[in-house]
Amino acid sequence: MSIHCISARWYQRNMCDASLYQQLKKQAAQGAARFHMPGHKGRPVLPELNHPFAIDYTEIEGTGNLYEGDEPILSAERAAAEYYGAQDCLFLTGGSTQACMTAIAAAVPEGGTLVMDRNCHKSATHALALLDLTPEFVVPEPLDETGLPGLISPQAVENILEKTPEAAAVLVTSPNYYGVMQDIPALAEICHRYNVALLVDAAHGAHLKAAGRKSPIEEGADLAAMSTHKTLPALGQSAILLSSGRIPFEILLETAPLFGTSSPSYLLMASIDLARAWLEGDGAAAYARCAQRVAALRREINAATVFGALAEEHAPLDPCRLTVCCRGTNVTGHEMNGILHEQFKIDAEMADRDHVVFICTGVDTERDYARLMGALRDAQFVRKDAASRALLPFPAPERVCSVRKAWFSKKKEIPMAQAARKICARPVTPYPPGVPLLYPGERIHQVHIEFLRAGWYTDNEPICVMDGYFGERQGDQT
């Protein structure tokens, strides 16, 4: 028997033991409509990556070094910068988490102050802990009775900057998970008047140029983090950091390795380059069609189903994001998400108590959209009085110690019901995925517990708190 036959049998036998691979293969075989990231939706949009091993390289002669600004990576970055109307672009392989942390570290000195959208991703919390930064929060106005995070008031940002002249930057999320887009030009004008940098977490916005919108840099932001894998046909973990030039490219190159691997994947970088090229070709028309189709879906959902779709009259929206509200029906967002998956083979991106979020891209087909609309029209979904699910007001934070002190302190887990008056040691992130309700160093009040109890956590849900630390003020140990 030849060694090739033995190797083939060994390979087939051992592949059956590759549990993660087998589960992913099984998942893909189900043929579900995939309204979630990554943006390629499992379809071979970039055939150049169908056989990836041949181009899976490391830093050798001819391939360049990402963090040295070498060719051919630099030319690919410059092409992306030109497409997005930026002066510089840095490719990254640690997702927009790496991009956001790089932006924060490049713009805010150690121990400095960062004005933050309270709707920021938890990666910003990690930067606060590592760099010992002080956050000053601005809270988006809720769009409706569900508490869906809406627009940030430019006046609120200006008020904070007036009171905190030591602030070095402002960080906002646009678009947010639900598709709401901030007024970047107005925020940029205020930030630059106070001589601070405007950073935008645009993780979900890499497709917006193709959908007819401007990039955050074109609207006046100084740095913008984008996950190319979330809404473009790029591979998971691929991301870019766009710059207006206010912060030199050399500083971004020096800072990014602090938060990422020293062996960035050339496959991921190549997928960014290919996705950008696709956007400048067939992708432009594909996203224009997607935006038109989502607009039609919103109208149809509002007119012909028991559900409501977030629409432009509520707030400026990502034209390719579909957010469906379940409030006033017989299902919660979590229940609806489960029904879509089990009964209709439709996988959404995210669900909370009152909403289900669908990521639509230029790769989705008419068959996908028809399957979704057929499910939303199903007779099992009916209208119901939602008075029993009234939302509690968003609890105001009370900072007791720094994020860094809380993060690296001695800590313990206790049931949520016992957490009142304790100090949060890890982000509590019930909604939407990755956005903290409580930050490390903030006191947990009974109102926070009631807020969590109303829609997300049970009394026995573990909360991580500082062990033996109750605050500096007398009486805080009660």
Side-chain angles (χ1 to χ4, degrees):
M1 185 180 293
S2 72
I3 189 171
H4 298 291
C5 292
I6 296 173
S7 296
R9 289 181 180 178
W10 178 92
Y11 180 82
Q12 291 173 356
R13 182 174 66 251
N14 282 273
M15 282 304 97
C16 294
D17 296 330
S19 58
L20 174 58
Y21 167 77
Q22 294 296 342
Q23 177 58 32
L24 294 176
K25 187 176 178 181
K26 178 182 177 182
Q27 196 89 7
Q30 293 175 357
R34 294 165 63 165
F35 289 101
H36 56 81
M37 64 179 79
H40 55 68
K41 307 300 184 74
R43 296 184 171 114
V45 185
L46 305 177
E48 298 87 352
L49 297 179
N50 286 355
H51 303 285
F53 285 95
I55 59 170
D56 191 10
Y57 269 96
T58 188
E59 295 88 349
I60 61 170
E61 188 67 30
T63 63
N65 187 311
L66 172 62
Y67 300 126
E68 295 295 331
D70 289 345
E71 294 290 359
I73 301 170
L74 184 59
S75 288
E77 291 172 328
R78 286 175 173 168
E82 183 176 358
Y83 174 75
Y84 286 106
Q87 178 168 313
D88 297 308
C89 173
L90 178 61
F91 283 9
L92 295 168
T93 60
S96 53
T97 289
Q98 185 185 10
C100 283
M101 295 178 76
T102 299
I104 293 169
V108 186
E110 179 188 8
T113 299
L114 174 66
V115 177
M116 289 176 59
D117 176 357
R118 188 72 188 195
N119 197 45
C120 282
H121 187 262
K122 65 180 179 181
S123 59
T125 315
H126 300 160
L128 298 178
L130 291 171
L131 302 171
D132 198 16
L133 304 183
T134 299
E136 293 288 343
F137 292 109
V138 58
V139 180
E141 293 293 328
L143 279 186
D144 55 25
E145 70 277 7
T146 71
L148 190 148
L151 295 176
I152 291 173
S153 163
Q155 185 61 54
V157 173
E158 182 164 18
N159 292 343
I160 292 177
L161 291 176
E162 283 182 352
K163 291 185 286 188
T164 55
E166 69 276 15
V170 173
L171 173 64
V172 299
T173 304
S174 181
N176 67 18
Y177 225 112
Y178 300 95
V180 177
M181 300 182 65
Q182 300 299 331
D183 187 349
I184 300 301
L187 296 173
E189 190 278 327
I190 290 170
C191 288
H192 296 158
R193 185 150 33 93
Y194 284 84
N195 197 31
V196 302
L198 176 60
L199 320 179
V200 178
D201 178 353
H204 288 265
H207 64 290
L208 288 174
K209 280 278 291 186
R213 303 298 176 89
K214 292 182 178 181
S215 77
I217 300 300
E218 291 174 313
E219 292 188 311
D222 297 297
L223 292 173
M226 290 182 171
S227 283
T228 46
H229 73 96
K230 281 183 168 62
T231 59
L232 300 185
L235 296 178
Q237 289 189 214
S238 62
I240 56 176
L241 180 58
L242 301 173
S243 173
S244 68
R246 178 190 180 105
I247 296 174
F249 188 59
E250 292 72 23
I251 292 179
L252 302 182
L253 289 174
E254 293 173 358
T255 306
L258 293 172
F259 309 108
T261 175
S262 60
S263 299
S265 167
Y266 280 76
L267 288 176
L268 300 191
M269 291 189 284
S271 77
I272 299 172
D273 197 25
L274 288 166
R276 185 272 315 157
W278 183 73
L279 285 181
E280 296 194 62
D282 294 342
Y287 276 95
R289 288 193 299 271
C290 177
Q292 293 172 354
R293 196 64 181 87
V294 170
L297 284 172
R298 290 170 180 163
R299 293 191 295 269
E300 188 174 357
I301 290 168
N302 285 326
T305 78
V306 300
F307 303 106
L310 190 63
E312 285 283 350
E313 54 262 31
H314 300 109
L317 295 179
D318 170 354
C320 298
R321 183 61 53 99
L322 180 63
T323 297
V324 175
C325 181
C326 305
R327 189 174 175 83
T329 75
N330 63 326
V331 291
T332 66
H334 298 296
E335 290 167 345
M336 177 182 170
N337 189 41
I339 292 170
L340 292 176
H341 174 76
E342 296 293 335
Q343 298 183 22
F344 298 97
K345 288 186 167 51
I346 296 172
D347 290 330
E349 166 63 21
M350 185 272 286
D352 64 19
R353 183 186 63 180
D354 292 309
H355 308 90
V356 181
V357 174
F358 303 88
I359 292 180
C360 303
T361 76
V363 178
D364 294 308
T365 66
E366 281 301 317
R367 185 176 180 179
D368 296 326
Y369 295 129
R371 185 190 297 187
L372 177 59
M373 276 309 307
L376 296 180
R377 288 173 176 268
D378 194 84
Q380 69 182 293
F381 301 122
V382 296
R383 299 188 189 280
K384 182 181 178 182
D385 183 13
S388 62
R389 289 196 282 151
L391 184 80
L392 293 169
F394 186 88
E398 177 195 342
R399 176 149 302 283
V400 176
C401 67
S402 71
V403 173
R404 181 179 179 85
K405 179 172 182 176
W407 193 281
F408 294 106
S409 69
K410 185 179 178 182
K411 59 190 178 300
K412 63 181 179 181
E413 286 190 346
I414 61 174
M416 183 188 73
Q418 301 174 19
R421 305 298 297 166
K422 304 294 193 300
I423 311 302
C424 180
R426 287 291 182 272
V428 178
T429 57
Y431 79 102
V435 175
L437 168 67
L438 284 161
Y439 274 72
E442 293 180 346
R443 188 180 302 284
I444 304 168
H445 290 290
Q446 187 62 35
V447 66
H448 294 104
I449 295 173
E450 296 299 330
F451 191 87
L452 291 166
R453 188 181 282 147
W456 294 278
Y457 286 8
T458 65
D459 282 352
N460 290 324
E461 189 83 22
I463 301 287
C464 189
V465 301
M466 296 178 71
D467 188 9
Y469 182 81
F470 298 92
E472 303 298 339
R473 295 174 300 174
Q474 190 173 7
D476 278 349
Q477 297 189 30
T478 60

